[in-house]
Amino acid sequence: MEKTPEYLTFKQLTSQHFVPVGWYNNTFPTTFTMQWHLHQQFEIMYCEKGAFVFEYMFSDDKNAVFRVPVPEKHFILLNAGYYHRIAIESNDTQIYNVELFPKQSFEREEEGLIKEVSPSARELFALNAQLSDLRDKNERFYVFHDSQNVGSTMKELVEDLNDSNSPSIDLSVRVLTLKLFLDISKCSSNIILEPIKLTYVRKAILFMQRNFIHPLSVNEIAESVGIAPAYLQRLFKSELGEGIHATLTGIRVNNAKNLLETTSLPNNEIAKLSGFSSREQLIYSFHSTVGCSPHEYRITCNRKNIRVFPWPDDVELSDE
């Protein structure tokens, strides 16, 4: 199922202009997975709410399927002629979708003002350096973070398409289609160069490293990076092979190890300074992670001549 040659890509476009031929504004449950398909239209999929995974392949080898997460307020611009589908990752995911056909010529009734606001691909790319760069790169797809007005333009365009009797010659539709490409060009500096999932996992880990001393819930951690809790849980499982709670426990245990190595604090104080709710929780988590008790770990450190510093008498511990 490789890209079919007769399907024009961005780089091959010349005098064609973009005409919307398919569109929707749908809210999907997590049980939804689209069928594999390809088409000669260019496609824009905007995640207004929730998250979905964009999947694509180069051949009919099922082992050659690639997955790209698209979270909330991100969108994907898809080149023509590649097999793809989407799978929903977060319940009640809302997607705006527009498919744009590269039409070769104008009909007689489309002359005049309609033609003026429907530049050819060559003209559009020549007038905008960012779009020209996307055309020259000619990637299979681009994932963007919406730092501009792409979401609102997509919504308005889909609403107009739903109300239009003849989208191909509707002036408002043509103006909004042009505006959509110009809005996308302003987001070109926000192309996701590394997998989005890694970005969110790293941000979540950084948040936990800065706040592990406080009680933290999965909801709070997910809110700190701006995605759904269930989706973040899946990213941790996929990227790290463990859940959020296990990662947070590891961060707290590492802090406890450092305190055991460098201070003479008792376990109940180390538990408090490491974000554990009690001495018992520290001992249980420490044994599960390290394979020994905090006391045994400290003895081992002393045998290795690791210097232990007494905790200053004038330093008070706080729950804040």
Side-chain angles (χ1 to χ4, degrees):
M1 291 190 289
E2 300 231 346
K3 180 175 66 64
T4 308
E6 63 266 23
Y7 289 173
L8 296 176
T9 64
F10 282 120
K11 198 166 187 176
Q12 296 168 318
L13 294 176
T14 54
S15 60
Q16 299 86 358
H17 54 280
F18 297 105
V19 176
V21 293
W23 58 89
Y24 63 75
N25 170 16
N26 282 350
T27 299
F28 298 92
T30 52
T31 55
F32 179 81
T33 298
M34 186 177 289
Q35 295 295 314
W36 287 103
H37 65 287
L38 83 167
H39 44 63
Q40 61 191 114
Q41 298 93 267
F42 302 92
E43 189 169 8
I44 303 168
M45 291 174 275
Y46 186 96
C47 187
E48 174 65 18
K49 176 185 175 185
F52 67 88
V53 168
F54 173 76
E55 298 182 332
Y56 66 101
M57 65 170 70
F58 306 120
S59 68
D60 56 2
D61 179 3
K62 295 302 181 182
N63 294 320
V65 175
F66 299 85
R67 292 167 54 86
V68 181
V70 181
E72 195 168 291
K73 306 306 179 186
H74 288 68
F75 64 96
I76 188 164
L77 173 62
L78 176 64
N79 218 332
Y82 295 95
Y83 272 91
H84 64 280
R85 68 179 183 180
I86 63 171
I88 303 303
E89 288 282 286
S90 179
N91 199 33
D92 296 329
T93 292
Q94 183 180 8
I95 299 175
Y96 296 122
N97 177 280
V98 175
E99 295 179 4
L100 301 158
F101 182 78
K103 190 173 181 180
Q104 182 62 49
S105 60
F106 289 93
E107 303 295 337
R108 179 172 298 176
E109 63 269 25
E110 294 179 310
E111 296 289 343
L113 186 57
I114 289 287
K115 188 173 182 179
E116 291 298 319
V117 296
S118 302
S120 68
R122 181 191 293 116
E123 293 168 334
L124 182 61
F125 295 145
L127 289 172
N128 189 286
Q130 289 82 8
L131 291 177
S132 178
D133 186 51
L134 294 181
R135 176 205 58 193
D136 292 341
K137 289 179 179 176
N138 203 40
E139 299 289 350
R140 298 174 181 86
F141 59 87
Y142 302 90
V143 179
F144 302 82
H145 171 243
D146 183 14
S147 61
Q148 300 295 321
N149 302 307
V150 175
S152 58
T153 302
M154 284 282 289
K155 179 181 179 182
E156 190 174 356
L157 176 57
V158 170
E159 289 175 349
D160 268 28
L161 287 166
N162 285 330
D163 293 337
S164 176
N165 292 323
S166 181
S168 65
I169 58 174
D170 188 282
L171 178 60
S172 175
V173 167
R174 293 300 181 89
V175 170
L176 286 170
T177 301
L178 176 59
K179 183 177 185 299
L180 178 59
F181 274 100
L182 296 177
D183 287 344
I184 289 173
S185 73
K186 296 174 184 176
C187 295
S188 62
S189 62
N190 297 311
I191 294 177
I192 306 304
L193 299 178
E194 66 173 331
I196 296 173
K197 54 187 177 182
L198 290 179
T199 301
Y200 282 105
V201 168
R202 288 170 183 164
K203 286 183 178 180
I205 290 175
L206 181 60
F207 177 80
M208 287 188 282
Q209 288 172 334
R210 290 173 174 172
N211 298 278
F212 67 83
I213 195 170
H214 306 292
L216 292 177
S217 67
V218 172
N219 286 347
E220 289 173 314
I221 296 168
E223 184 179 355
S224 75
V225 297
I227 60 176
Y231 181 52
L232 184 62
Q233 283 276 31
R234 283 193 288 271
L235 293 186
F236 266 75
K237 288 285 189 180
S238 173
E239 294 304 305
L240 304 181
E242 64 180 17
I244 295 173
H245 283 300
T247 304
L248 178 57
T249 297
I251 292 171
R252 287 170 168 161
V253 166
N254 283 337
N255 185 75
K257 287 169 67 177
N258 181 61
L259 291 174
L260 288 165
E261 293 170 5
T262 59
T263 76
S264 58
L265 284 171
N267 284 346
N268 61 323
E269 302 297 357
I270 288 178
K272 185 181 295 186
L273 288 170
S274 300
F276 293 105
S277 60
S278 65
R279 172 179 173 274
E280 290 72 25
Q281 187 187 44
L282 165 67
I283 295 172
Y284 175 81
S285 299
F286 203 94
H287 200 283
S288 298
T289 305
V290 183
C292 65
S293 70
H295 176 69
E296 291 168 334
Y297 184 81
R298 176 170 273 164
I299 291 175
T300 301
C301 291
N302 289 337
R303 286 174 180 169
K304 292 179 180 179
N305 296 319
I306 296 177
R307 187 180 178 189
V308 176
F309 296 91
W311 194 256
D313 294 334
D314 58 345
V315 175
E316 296 183 0
L317 297 174
S318 171
D319 291 330
E320 295 180 359

